Amino acid sequence: MRFTTLSVVLATTPLSLAAPARNGGGHGHHGHKAPGLDDLAKEAGLLYFGTAIDNISLNNTKYLSIAHNTSDFGQITPSNGQKWMYIEPARNVFNYSMGDAIIKPAKKNGQMRRCHTFLWHNQLPDWLTKTNYTKTELIKILENHIKNEATHYKNDCYAWDVVNEAFNDDGTYRKDLWLDTIGPEYIPLAFKFARKYVGRETKLYYNDYGIERVNNKSLAVQAMVQKFLNEDIPIDGVGFQAHFTVGRAPTYDDLRNSMKLFTTKPLELEVALTELDVRIQLPGTEEKLKAQADVYGASVKACMDEEECVGVTVWDFWDPVSWVPDTFPGYGDACLWDKEYKRKPAYFKIAEVLSA
């Protein structure tokens, strides 16, 4: 699963999802302009280098000019716009405006799309969480939701994160609405429903954080995938969210070893880094930014060196809109561009790794 030139990418990717041919032929160098991260990723054999975009940024023209610069970002993920609370705010009432606001411009711009997410324990509407549904009712609701959303975005997505974060760190199932009402079979059911309604070429992913080392959680995901394959449940890939902290991040070897749980026989799935960011304890210093750059570099190199790792997505690229400070008080500056829209050492480190 290694793609060495853009022409190969076009040959192996359905045209509706493929990256566009670049000006100046296969390698995407624009005149004398230095190649961006997506240009370099494709030359290194990856399918894409991408970013998540949130709806709060859509009225910021400076931000959008970076987000839609295909030299840096060949793929886009809506960080919130396709989540349940926005897509189905009332039962069987669907609103695609937030998802469309990110997917449509990316499509028009020739950027691939990773779609996120059909099923998660979080950001659910009250009508879902505040009613006691029976198992049969909730399965119907789940299928109806996936059917409607998948049909709306049919053939728009290179991949869908079908189920997000279903495990605890100790490898047990996360207790939530789905597990409590349906039981563990809600996960394979979601994948079956997804396969039934998404485009034929769309890859189905399980996505989680904390699986970037070989540990109880990653081994539990591996066991689940093995069971899927034994029972003919459709799954194509595993997404490593890769939300890291300077000083506590997995090493290159940690990541490679964990990826191998899924990419080698008998599973042989593809993998991707789906939400990469590297937070630092504030205030930032030159030293911390260098350490951050090293974590970004090692993470991207792990993907580049893993034959079945198809690409890297950063979880937004501009520090002021990162989710990190709200979620981890005292931490921040997790992205590749600083508040002045300047590229940080991490950007150049990634470029160096991809060029090597």
Side-chain angles (χ1 to χ4, degrees):
M1 174 78 76
R2 234 332 153 244
F3 308 92
T4 44
T5 68
L6 194 54
S7 54
V8 177
V9 174
L10 290 171
T12 54
T13 311
L15 282 176
S16 60
L17 308 176
R22 302 291 175 79
N23 302 335
H27 288 304
H29 292 184
H30 304 274
H32 300 296
K33 197 163 153 264
L37 300 182
D38 189 65
D39 297 329
L40 294 169
K42 287 191 168 81
E43 287 187 12
L46 297 175
L47 259 183
Y48 59 80
F49 192 96
T51 186
I53 298 183
D54 200 0
N55 296 74
I56 54 166
S57 303
L58 295 182
N59 54 5
N60 179 334
T61 49
K62 175 90 172 154
Y63 173 97
L64 288 178
S65 70
I66 299 171
H68 290 304
N69 171 13
T70 55
S71 185
D72 272 324
F73 298 126
Q75 174 269 318
I76 297 292
T77 301
S79 46
N80 280 298
Q82 292 177 315
K83 287 173 181 168
W84 200 310
M85 66 187 282
Y86 302 115
I87 292 287
E88 194 180 358
R91 187 168 178 183
N92 208 29
V93 175
F94 290 88
N95 179 351
Y96 297 105
S97 57
M98 281 180 66
D100 287 356
I102 286 164
I103 295 294
K104 283 181 172 171
K107 204 174 161 182
K108 197 173 161 198
N109 197 33
Q111 291 166 297
M112 297 170 76
R113 286 78 53 197
R114 286 194 90 262
C115 293
H116 174 85
T117 168
F118 286 135
L119 186 64
W120 192 28
H121 64 274
N122 219 330
Q123 288 181 273
L124 297 171
D126 286 352
W127 69 264
L128 199 51
T129 54
K130 293 202 160 53
T131 309
N132 288 322
Y133 295 103
T134 65
K135 177 174 177 173
T136 309
E137 281 174 321
L138 196 58
I139 290 172
K140 279 201 179 107
I141 286 169
L142 177 59
E143 177 165 14
N144 185 58
H145 179 81
I146 292 177
K147 173 187 169 183
N148 278 276
E149 187 169 15
T151 304
H152 180 82
Y153 292 110
K154 201 167 193 125
N155 299 319
D156 282 344
C157 311
Y158 167 76
W160 261 104
D161 291 329
V162 178
V163 175
N164 198 41
E165 302 177 4
F167 289 90
N168 296 313
D169 289 344
D170 64 1
T172 57
Y173 287 109
R174 181 191 290 279
K175 219 174 129 43
D176 64 9
L177 165 76
W178 310 108
L179 186 72
D180 292 349
T181 312
I182 299 174
E185 68 263 39
Y186 83 85
I187 307 175
L189 279 171
F191 277 85
K192 279 186 191 160
F193 297 151
R195 185 78 284 158
K196 190 169 163 185
Y197 300 111
V198 298
R200 200 167 47 91
E201 306 283 355
T202 302
K203 309 275 189 183
L204 304 182
Y205 270 67
Y206 175 77
N207 192 51
D208 215 330
Y209 66 89
I211 58 171
E212 299 88 3
R213 293 178 170 92
V214 177
N215 57 26
N216 289 338
K217 193 176 195 176
S218 57
L219 291 169
V221 175
Q222 183 194 37
M224 175 191 76
V225 172
Q226 181 62 69
K227 193 168 186 291
F228 273 27
L229 297 179
N230 295 344
E231 294 169 10
D232 286 328
I233 308 294
I235 186 169
D236 303 297
V238 172
F240 293 69
Q241 288 186 11
H243 293 298
F244 296 150
T245 311
V246 165
R248 295 205 296 274
T251 63
Y252 168 86
D253 288 335
D254 288 334
L255 263 164
R256 288 299 307 277
N257 291 334
S258 188
M259 286 175 176
K260 285 193 183 91
L261 296 177
F262 305 101
T263 59
T264 53
K265 287 184 173 159
L267 303 188
E268 299 183 274
L269 297 189
E270 65 177 55
V271 294
L273 300 182
T274 55
E275 305 185 15
L276 176 64
D277 55 20
V278 182
R279 58 189 177 265
I280 60 181
Q281 198 162 6
L282 299 171
T285 60
E286 259 180 65
E287 194 185 359
K288 287 178 191 173
L289 289 175
K290 186 193 176 306
Q292 175 185 60
D294 290 341
V295 175
Y296 266 110
S299 306
V300 170
K301 184 168 168 51
C303 179
M304 189 172 91
D305 291 350
E306 166 53 63
E307 192 77 9
E308 300 301 324
C309 188
V310 296
V312 176
T313 307
V314 292
W315 206 241
D316 227 308
F317 58 87
W318 188 45
D319 282 339
V321 292
S322 166
W323 71 300
V324 166
D326 285 346
T327 314
F328 303 98
Y331 287 84
D333 291 0
C335 301
L336 298 179
W337 272 257
D338 69 16
K339 61 181 191 294
E340 265 87 52
Y341 301 97
K342 287 199 182 72
R343 293 175 294 176
K344 289 155 69 175
Y347 176 98
F348 298 102
K349 184 69 177 185
I350 293 170
E352 180 191 316
V353 164
L354 290 171
S355 306

